[in-house]
């Protein structure tokens, strides 16, 4: 039995467009001799549809689209489609109104439904808000083969892999007891750095433990802040890879199931390679995310501020790879505090990337603000308020360009800055998308160094730069001390710990949830740890007003971050008391 996996990139709510993707994949699969096509979780409506599921007309249209799709599909092909089904018992039994469902389409009709059993409610997931869990794990028979159907989280509850159970039931164990020959999984598993290795190790453990071949179809593409890396794959009963789809691209791949031996058989050249390092992986994810956000939101061009710093340099390179150099505008907005090298660095970068630039000096506007505020600010010292005016002037100019020409304004702040509030509301935080908002500063540097090491051949891909000069990032941008240049001689380390120290503390506190005393025990100064934690807590009101930021880590300041703004909780380390000085 030849089985196809359609690694799809749905647009949320585009029912007709998503159905067309499924149909095109089905026609190609059928022409290649496939008997069964596996698509991704909620492939018909896109994942996650969130509160669109509360609109009755959306649900009605989804059901109609599914019925039409069934009649359009090749008659000889069984197709598993991710969809939503109303729960008829919701009103009477106090249950949730919907099921997260897989529909089996065959012979022009919907043959069966399979409901998702395990509903995640952690991180970015909130499925219990909408869905009722299925009551049983189910299988269907096709040409004498018994095929178990699971949906995403259903395969993430093997207690011998995790060391504990997260849910009461383990669907793959139940399907094994039912005697299925093969387990399929429709998934929409969001990307984070290194997650594919976790998925493959987890399902390899399940395949060998239960003696079950597994085919796993994962969504690809960007939907708002969430990125999906694809990398759909199949494992035989020994846990060996027999197929893997491409990373960060739509794909259609095939596997052969031999009923005589109950096994998935290897095919030549069926296992696509994974990116060879974390920097390559993150780069591809961010390029895909910017491209899809622009495409799905109706933007074809982008604008960003070019400061000559490393953050805007990386964002400009990402935007260029995602949208093409002809569709990216970099705006230089020098102030009296801008160094000459910042301007030349920004222009050199733009030349390397082949993007257009516009220079708008802001000194006259700064003078106008100073004059307007002179009476109110009389008798006060120059400080953060005046520094931030520069950022807000720049943000206003960029928003005007975005508004005038319909460009997507991409903000350039990184995760380290967002974490501690080293950014300006209504200034550099302006934008429709934060391209590197989940990328720590130290990782920004490592990606830029990686980018400069790549060869033109390695960069010649639909997700990478095609014709940039090398090195892509002017070396001086990487080697100079980072600075916001809002006052003479300013560098970031005037206000913050060195980024190597800051990022390690942030990773431990934000992502690993380590207690302050444990962070100190790892080698950090207690006063610095307290300073960073205080800054993280105080900056919550800024983060709530930030543009959506593409998620690449397990703990991003986005959909899955649910901290209160008005809070008095501030974990700190008790500092040693200093004896009072005594005199004689």
């Amino acid at each position: 039995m030849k089985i196809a996996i359609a690694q799809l990139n749905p647009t949320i709510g585009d029912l007709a467009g998503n159905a067309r993707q499924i149909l095109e994949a089905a026609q190609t699969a059928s022409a290649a001799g496939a008997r069964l096509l596996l698509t991704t979780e909620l492939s018909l409506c896109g994942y996650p549809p969130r509160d669109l599921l509360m609109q009755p007309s959306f649900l009605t249209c989804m059901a109609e689209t599914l019925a039409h799709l069934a009649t359009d599909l090749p008659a000889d092909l069984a197709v598993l489609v991710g969809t939503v089904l109303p729960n008829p018992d919701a009103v009477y039994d106090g249950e949730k109104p919907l099921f997260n469902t897989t529909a089996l389409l065959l012979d022009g009709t919907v043959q069966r439904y399979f409901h998702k059993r395990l509903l995640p409610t952690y991180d970015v997931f909130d499925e219990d808000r909408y869905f009722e869990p299925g009551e049983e794990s189910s299988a269907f028979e096709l040409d004498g083969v018994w095929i178990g159907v699971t949906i995403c989280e259903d395969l993430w509850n093997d207690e011998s892999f995790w060391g504990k159970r997260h849910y009461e039931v383990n669907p793959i164990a139940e399907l094994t007891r039912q005697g299925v020959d093969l387990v399929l999984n429709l998934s929409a598993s969001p990307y984070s750095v290194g997650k594919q290795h976790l998925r493959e190790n987890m399902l390899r453990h399940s395949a060998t433990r239960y003696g079950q071949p597994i085919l796993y179809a994962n969504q690809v593409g960007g939907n708002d802040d969430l990125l999906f890396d694809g990398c759909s794959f199949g494992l035989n009963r020994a846990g060996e890879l027999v197929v893997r789809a491409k990373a960060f691209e739509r794909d259609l791949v095939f596997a052969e199931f031999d009923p005589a031996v109950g096994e998935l058989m290897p095919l030549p050249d069926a296992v696509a390679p994974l990116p060879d390092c974390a920097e390559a992986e993150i780069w591809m994810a961010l390029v895909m995310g910017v491209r899809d956000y622009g495409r799905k939101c109706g933007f074809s061009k982008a604008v960003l501020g070019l400061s000559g710093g490393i953050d805007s340099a990386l964002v400009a390179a990402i935007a260029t790879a995602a949208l093409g150099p002809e569709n990216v505008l970099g705006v230089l907005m020098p102030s009296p505090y801008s160094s000459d090298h910042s301007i030349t660095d920004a222009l050199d970068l733009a030349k390397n990337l082949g993007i257009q630039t516009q220079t708008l000096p802001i000194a006259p506007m700064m003078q106008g603000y100073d004059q307007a505020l002179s009476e109110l600010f009389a008798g006060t010292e120059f400080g953060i308020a005046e520094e931030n005016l520069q950022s807000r002037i720049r943000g206003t100019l960029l928003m005007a360009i975005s508004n005038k020409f319909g460009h997507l304004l991409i903000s350039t702040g990184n995760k380290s800055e967002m974490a501690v509030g080293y950014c300006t509301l209504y200034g550099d935080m302006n934008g429709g998308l934060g391209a590197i908002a989940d990328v720590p500063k130290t990782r920004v540097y490592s990606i830029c160094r990686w980018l400069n090491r790549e060869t033109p051949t390695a960069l010649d891909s639909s997700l990478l730069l095609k014709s940039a000069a090398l090195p892509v990032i002017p070396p001086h941008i990487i080697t100079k001390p980072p600075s916001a240049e809002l006052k003479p001689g300013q560098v970031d380390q005037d206000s913050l710990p060195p980024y190597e120290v800051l990022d390690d503390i942030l990773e431990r506190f934000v992502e690993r949830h380590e207690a302050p005393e444990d962070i100190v025990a790892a080698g950090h100064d207690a006063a610095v740890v307290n300073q960073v934690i205080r800054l993280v807590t105080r900056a919550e009101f800024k983060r709530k007003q930030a543009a959506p930021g593409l998620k690449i880590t397990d703990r991003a300041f986005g959909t899955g971050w649910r901290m209160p703004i008005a809070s008095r909780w501030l974990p700190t380390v008790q500092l040693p008391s200093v004896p009072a000085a005594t005199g004689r």
Side-chain angles (χ1 to χ4, degrees):
M1 179 186 291
K2 193 170 190 177
I3 304 172
I5 300 176
Q7 183 168 286
L8 303 174
N9 185 350
T11 298
I12 293 171
D14 184 9
L15 301 174
N18 298 338
R20 189 160 50 249
Q21 279 195 51
I22 296 169
L23 178 60
E24 290 171 355
Q27 290 169 338
T28 303
S30 178
R35 177 67 168 123
L36 174 64
L37 173 67
L38 176 64
T39 70
T40 55
E41 180 179 12
L42 296 184
S43 53
L44 191 57
C45 63
Y47 189 93
R50 298 192 171 121
D51 281 4
L52 287 179
L53 297 173
M54 294 182 176
Q55 299 184 16
S57 60
F58 180 64
L59 301 174
T60 299
C61 189
M62 199 185 317
E64 293 171 351
T65 304
L66 183 69
H68 287 305
L69 176 62
T71 63
D72 293 338
L73 291 169
D76 58 345
L77 184 70
V79 182
L80 291 168
V81 175
T83 187
V84 172
L85 193 68
N87 176 11
D89 298 326
V91 174
Y92 304 104
D93 296 340
E95 296 178 348
K96 296 300 169 63
L98 303 169
F99 290 109
N100 183 336
T101 294
T102 295
L104 172 62
L105 310 185
L106 182 62
D107 293 331
T109 63
V110 179
Q111 300 272 330
R112 285 194 59 182
Y113 293 106
F114 307 88
H115 302 322
K116 186 174 184 177
R117 300 201 64 193
L118 308 184
L119 304 178
T121 58
Y122 56 87
D123 191 31
V124 301
F125 306 107
D126 197 10
E127 294 197 23
D128 188 56
R129 178 181 175 91
Y130 315 100
F131 299 122
E132 183 71 15
E135 294 183 354
E136 61 182 7
S137 300
S138 301
F140 70 100
E141 185 269 335
L142 184 67
D143 299 345
V145 178
W146 279 98
I147 300 170
V149 180
T150 60
I151 303 175
C152 204
E153 191 82 356
D154 290 348
L155 292 191
W156 290 70
N157 194 36
D158 189 335
E159 70 279 2
S160 68
F161 179 81
W162 296 107
K164 65 175 183 178
R165 275 202 178 190
H166 298 90
Y167 308 88
E168 290 184 11
V169 299
N170 185 348
I172 191 170
E174 293 188 2
L175 289 170
T176 300
R177 286 194 293 270
Q178 293 174 25
V180 299
D181 300 305
L182 173 68
V183 173
L184 306 182
N185 185 264
L186 292 80
S187 189
S189 176
Y191 166 77
S192 61
V193 181
K195 192 170 184 179
Q196 181 63 12
H197 297 289
L198 171 64
R199 295 187 194 112
E200 292 185 10
N201 288 335
M202 177 187 67
L203 294 188
R204 181 176 295 113
H205 180 92
S206 293
T208 55
R209 180 184 182 189
Y210 297 105
Q212 287 291 350
I214 299 173
L215 286 177
Y216 169 91
N218 191 30
Q219 180 173 289
V220 73
N223 283 328
D224 296 349
D225 58 328
L226 299 185
L227 306 176
F228 299 86
D229 50 325
C231 297
S232 306
F233 63 97
L235 301 167
N236 64 18
R237 290 182 299 182
E240 299 166 335
L241 272 174
V242 297
V243 63
R244 185 200 286 136
K246 296 175 183 176
F248 305 106
E249 296 183 43
R250 281 181 60 180
D251 204 358
L252 180 68
V253 295
F254 298 89
E256 289 278 1
F257 181 78
D258 186 347
V261 295
E263 185 63 292
L264 287 171
M265 310 307 292
L267 294 173
D269 303 319
V271 179
L274 296 175
D276 60 4
C277 63
E279 286 75 20
E281 184 181 305
I282 295 168
W283 167 265
M284 296 174 75
L286 297 177
V287 170
M288 178 195 70
V290 170
R291 176 178 295 163
D292 273 2
Y293 190 87
R295 177 176 62 86
K296 294 179 181 182
C297 293
F299 294 99
S300 59
K301 296 180 181 293
V303 60
L304 71 151
L306 285 186
S307 67
I310 195 163
D311 296 322
S312 64
L314 178 57
V315 173
I318 292 168
T320 300
L323 305 174
E326 69 280 5
N327 294 316
V328 179
L329 173 63
V331 183
L332 288 71
M333 296 166 285
S335 80
Y337 306 120
S338 299
S339 58
D340 291 340
H341 64 72
S342 291
I343 299 171
T344 57
D345 287 344
L347 291 173
D348 288 345
L349 171 76
K351 182 180 178 181
N352 288 356
L353 296 174
I355 64 174
Q356 301 176 3
T357 63
Q358 179 71 51
T359 301
L360 303 174
I362 66 170
M365 287 165 271
M366 291 171 59
Q367 295 170 359
Y369 274 96
D370 289 341
Q371 183 178 358
L373 293 168
S374 60
E375 183 176 345
L376 183 60
F377 284 9
T380 65
E381 294 184 4
F382 181 94
I384 292 176
E386 289 81 2
E387 291 180 26
N388 286 345
L389 278 174
Q390 298 171 61
S391 181
R392 291 185 172 119
I393 290 168
R394 291 175 173 131
T396 299
L397 293 173
L398 290 171
M399 283 304 303
I401 294 169
S402 171
N403 198 196
K404 187 70 172 179
F405 301 110
H407 291 9
L408 171 64
L409 173 55
I410 305 178
S411 61
T412 59
N414 61 63
K415 187 174 190 176
S416 307
E417 296 169 346
M418 292 297 296
V420 297
Y422 196 66
C423 47
T424 304
L425 273 174
Y426 326 120
D428 59 312
M429 289 179 65
N430 280 4
L433 179 68
I436 59 170
D438 197 31
V439 183
K441 186 78 167 188
T442 50
R443 183 68 84 178
V444 171
Y445 277 100
S446 70
I447 295 172
C448 287
R449 294 189 185 101
W450 167 84
L451 196 59
N452 279 0
R453 290 195 301 270
E454 292 302 292
T455 65
T457 301
L459 292 173
D460 190 13
S461 162
S462 62
L463 286 169
L464 302 177
L465 293 164
K466 290 189 174 181
S467 58
L470 289 176
V472 177
I473 311 298
H476 187 250
I477 289 179
I478 298 175
T479 58
K480 67 184 178 183
S483 171
E485 293 192 331
L486 299 178
K487 63 181 180 181
Q490 183 185 49
V491 294
D492 291 2
Q493 263 58 79
D494 294 338
S495 305
L496 301 173
Y499 280 114
E500 292 78 7
V501 173
L502 176 62
D503 283 354
D504 189 61
I505 295 174
L506 290 174
E507 181 180 353
R508 292 175 181 275
F509 181 66
V510 173
E511 297 185 33
R512 301 187 203 170
H513 308 288
E514 291 185 11
E517 53 269 22
D518 293 331
I519 302 175
V520 172
H524 290 288
D525 180 80
V528 174
V529 171
N530 284 347
Q531 174 201 11
V532 171
I533 292 175
R534 183 172 61 253
L535 291 172
V536 171
T537 304
R538 290 180 58 191
E540 188 60 38
F541 81 103
K542 287 188 177 182
R543 291 192 292 271
K544 282 291 193 295
Q545 301 178 66
L550 300 178
K551 180 182 186 296
I552 65 156
T553 70
D554 289 328
R555 190 73 167 135
F557 298 125
T559 304
W561 181 266
R562 304 183 186 184
M563 290 294 182
I565 297 174
S567 169
R568 294 291 178 86
W569 175 248
L570 181 63
T572 56
V573 180
Q574 185 67 40
L575 298 178
S577 58
V578 180
T582 58
R584 294 188 178 181

